Amino acid sequence: MQSCVTHLSELELNDLILKAKDWNIIHGCIMRPRENFSLDQAQICPFLLLPSSYPKGEFQKAKELQSMLNELMHKVAHDHEFLSSTLKNTIEVDDFTRKLFEIYQTVYLEGFAQTLSLGLIRSDYMLHGSEGGEIKQVEINMISTSFAGLAGINSNYQKFILEELGFKNKLSNIPQNDPANGFGNALGRAWSTYKEKFAVSTVVHKIIILFIVEDVVYNLFDQRAIEFSINEKSPEIKVIRRTLSELATKARLGSKKELLVEDFEVAVAYYRTGYQLEAYPSDKEWDVRLLIERSTAIKCPSIHYHLAGTKKVQQQLSVPGVLERFLIDQAVINKIKEIFMGLYSLDLDEDGDKAVAEAISNPQKYVLKPQREGGGYNIYGDEIKSHLESMKGSKERTAFILMERIYPPLQKNYLIRAGNTDVRLQDFVSELGIYGVLMGDETAVYLNGEVGHVLRTKPSAYNEGGIVFGAGAIDNPYLVE
Ligand code: ADP
Ligand code: MG
């Protein structure tokens, strides 16, 4: 795809890079340093100097789909039979999913103390195919979706840089974007609902939103942007941040099953951790996850929302006839089907054997995915072959799904990263994320919307491009016809 600005002289580039870095520091598109981590310092979050071009029609399609996908995930999460049968084989071999499922099963059988769930969701896409390509879903994230806090700042940066280059006439190609506000509003709405309907305490300042966080947080300002957006609109809402290990000693249930932490009552428990096995170093972190699920706090996500976002569920949703179980409108079903790549189960049956044989013969056409979140776990290329061969006929393979590989179009750009002085014109590929908010219970959905977007762009040579730990960078679309 053509990039939005063509040629920059070396002098122009050097001036621009310095200005761009300082703009991002001043406006807070920053993170904690990975080397020499310090609570007193921040550095720029990796970003693309110029916005990446993106086909307008596909962008709009992704936006329009979000509320339908939200509803789909909501229904999936409330279908006990579907979750149980879909994850049945997976939980026999995948410890992490099994632990989550055990918590789910426990609270399901007890009856949910809080039937409302809050979702701060992100559906991810890459473009695939000829003529700019069509959006294909990479995955949908139901827990700890990141960059909603920084994405809006990056959109403003892009407007700044285009103006700086004298392209005021192009600003309208940068779409309006404020997902921090969207997430903040949804958290605020959940807090108000809890306060009105469930709170035991009558002291407003004691009823809080709890951010459940990792011990060491690099992407801190992404979280703070959401927190401060809540405070700006609703100063009465107090937010506290605690780790799972801290909660293991500090969290308890009150007489009405309200979640108490120190002398606060938790209205909303918002997870920015908990999606990886490493987040639960001992039984006490698992125990506290269960305790939180048993409480009347509104969870973001609840354990069933979390399970609905697993890769195994994503694969099962692509099986012919399965979407029809959840959605009635055939036009909506067709739209959703169009964004799916081929997804295949590796169960120990004839279809699983066929998928394995096909992937071994054509590994470049596929990605092998375990039930993991957070980047860096997928298997590509020839490693697919050796991996599948090593677990041939073994149950272990049912922990994975096989997905057709997406080949997105390349684009030239410059990546700016803290400490890197070698800024070069390179080829990049982008992944579009659309943010959704959702709140509801088994009987109804009370909040369902699309609240913004982000691009995560990586050098094309990398299979994956996490922004915090990998080679990727924050970006936003520059819409082209
Ligand atoms: P995670 O939960 O680890 O983020 P993803 O499914 O999003 O798992 O995969 C991580 C990354 O791997 C994606 O951001 C994308 O860069 C790459 N990836 C995933 N699926 C595909 C695919 N089908 N084709 C090409 N790249 C993919
Ligand atoms: Mg992902």
Side-chain angles (χ1 to χ4, degrees):
M1 249 181 302
Q2 192 65 37
S3 51
C4 70
V5 177
T6 39
H7 182 74
L8 293 172
S9 72
E10 198 168 324
L11 184 63
E12 229 177 347
L13 183 64
N14 288 341
D15 279 351
L16 209 57
I17 290 171
L18 290 179
K19 242 184 220 194
K21 285 185 180 177
D22 292 345
W23 192 99
N24 278 289
I25 289 172
I26 285 182
H27 294 86
C29 198
I30 49 180
M31 55 178 44
R32 289 266 189 246
R34 290 229 352 253
E35 280 163 33
N36 304 321
F37 178 88
S38 150
L39 294 180
D40 299 327
Q41 284 175 17
Q43 65 184 28
I44 48 165
C45 171
F47 66 98
L48 273 294
L49 184 64
L50 306 168
S52 297
S53 299
Y54 208 88
K56 193 174 185 175
E58 295 305 305
F59 176 75
Q60 279 163 348
K61 187 159 93 185
K63 291 228 157 201
E64 281 160 22
L65 271 171
Q66 192 58 43
S67 56
M68 303 169 208
L69 291 172
N70 290 346
E71 186 189 332
L72 172 65
M73 297 320 282
H74 184 80
K75 289 187 170 158
V76 167
H78 288 89
D79 190 330
H80 178 69
E81 204 281 317
F82 178 78
L83 283 182
S84 306
S85 61
T86 299
L87 296 170
K88 182 169 165 287
N89 292 338
T90 311
I91 60 179
E92 280 184 30
V93 284
D94 186 81
D95 288 344
F96 182 63
T97 315
R98 187 181 64 251
K99 287 279 203 181
L100 294 178
F101 194 83
E102 282 168 2
I103 292 178
Y104 166 66
Q105 191 69 1
T106 305
V107 286
Y108 177 80
L109 292 174
E110 283 174 3
F112 298 116
Q114 175 55 266
T115 54
L116 284 171
S117 299
L118 176 68
L120 300 181
I121 298 170
R122 196 188 66 220
S123 180
D124 291 336
Y125 306 89
M126 292 198 290
L127 293 164
H128 183 71
S130 53
E131 292 175 37
E134 293 186 336
I135 48 161
K136 295 292 174 185
Q137 188 179 50
V138 176
E139 64 159 348
I140 191 157
N141 301 283
M142 298 296 287
I143 180 164
S144 191
T145 51
S146 54
F147 294 105
L150 301 185
I153 306 175
N154 182 263
S155 293
N156 291 337
Y157 159 72
Q158 292 184 340
K159 289 182 187 155
F160 163 78
I161 207 77
L162 287 183
E163 275 204 72
E164 187 63 27
L165 287 164
F167 294 115
K168 205 174 173 61
N169 59 330
K170 294 190 176 181
L171 298 190
S172 58
N173 296 328
I174 306 287
Q176 163 58 27
N177 192 26
D178 196 357
N181 184 48
F183 273 19
N185 281 344
L187 285 160
R189 170 92 178 263
W191 180 87
S192 304
T193 305
Y194 180 92
K195 183 170 82 67
E196 279 157 32
K197 297 198 173 143
F198 306 100
V200 176
S201 173
T202 49
V203 183
V204 173
H205 225 69
K206 296 272 180 213
I207 304 168
I208 55 131
I209 297 180
L210 168 68
F211 281 34
I212 304 170
V213 299
E214 293 171 311
D215 300 340
V216 175
V217 184
Y218 296 105
N219 198 15
L220 175 76
F221 307 101
D222 184 47
Q223 301 176 9
R224 287 289 195 204
I226 295 167
E227 175 180 340
F228 296 162
S229 139
I230 299 169
N231 296 149
E232 255 168 43
K233 271 161 293 178
S234 315
E236 72 279 17
I237 304 180
K238 185 176 174 68
V239 173
I240 66 167
R241 300 167 56 84
R242 296 291 182 271
T243 66
L244 278 173
S245 310
E246 284 170 339
L247 292 170
T249 54
K250 290 178 171 169
R252 63 201 189 278
L253 295 188
S255 59
K256 300 238 165 51
K257 291 196 181 174
E258 70 276 26
L259 178 61
L260 302 170
V261 174
E262 296 136 28
D263 63 346
F264 298 114
E265 178 177 348
V266 178
V268 186
Y270 171 40
Y271 286 92
R272 290 300 297 249
T273 182
Y275 52 88
Q276 286 178 324
L277 199 53
E278 296 70 27
Y280 306 86
S282 68
D283 284 347
K284 66 182 200 225
E285 285 81 16
W286 282 113
D287 292 346
V288 82
R289 176 91 196 248
L290 174 60
L291 179 104
I292 295 168
E293 286 305 317
R294 281 178 157 153
S295 77
T296 58
I298 299 175
K299 273 76 70 183
C300 178
S302 59
I303 192 76
H304 38 305
Y305 267 28
H306 188 170
L307 287 173
T310 52
K311 293 186 170 63
K312 181 63 194 172
V313 166
Q314 179 189 7
Q315 176 264 308
Q316 189 63 23
L317 287 173
S318 76
V319 171
V322 172
L323 285 180
E324 285 78 355
R325 178 181 178 123
F326 302 105
L327 304 169
I328 302 159
D329 188 339
Q330 196 58 46
V332 171
I333 292 170
N334 292 344
K335 277 184 190 161
I336 294 178
K337 276 186 184 162
E338 272 180 28
I339 62 169
F340 288 163
M341 287 303 273
L343 288 147
Y344 307 95
S345 155
L346 298 184
D347 281 353
L348 290 176
D349 56 20
E350 206 180 308
D351 287 345
D353 289 345
K354 238 169 80 182
V356 167
E358 164 61 19
I360 288 176
S361 325
N362 294 301
Q364 302 304 333
K365 279 175 65 182
Y366 297 96
V367 179
L368 184 62
K369 297 186 173 190
Q371 304 303 308
R372 287 285 166 272
E373 300 286 334
Y377 297 98
N378 297 339
I379 297 163
Y380 301 84
D382 283 340
E383 275 184 41
I384 294 186
K385 228 158 127 176
S386 49
H387 220 86
L388 285 176
E389 273 163 358
S390 76
M391 40 185 205
K392 224 174 199 171
S394 139
K395 244 185 169 170
E396 203 193 326
R397 82 177 198 204
T398 58
F400 292 79
I401 63 157
L402 188 69
M403 180 174 185
E404 271 182 307
R405 184 158 185 172
I406 308 172
Y407 281 100
L410 308 185
Q411 248 182 101
K412 299 250 186 264
N413 208 329
Y414 301 92
L415 189 151
I416 318 288
R417 171 183 293 284
N420 178 21
T421 47
D422 177 29
V423 179
R424 285 175 291 121
L425 197 61
Q426 289 182 72
D427 281 328
F428 290 92
V429 297
S430 296
E431 183 169 343
L432 174 68
I434 304 289
Y435 294 105
V437 295
L438 178 64
M439 187 168 68
D441 57 24
E442 191 158 14
T443 56
V445 169
Y446 306 102
L447 173 71
N448 179 5
E450 178 276 303
V451 296
H453 53 269
V454 66
L455 273 192
R456 290 171 304 143
T457 296
K458 64 181 182 191
S460 61
Y462 289 82
N463 287 326
E464 297 193 18
I467 296 179
V468 182
F469 294 106
I474 195 163
D475 187 8
N476 264 291
Y478 175 88
L479 299 182
V480 292
E481 292 296 339

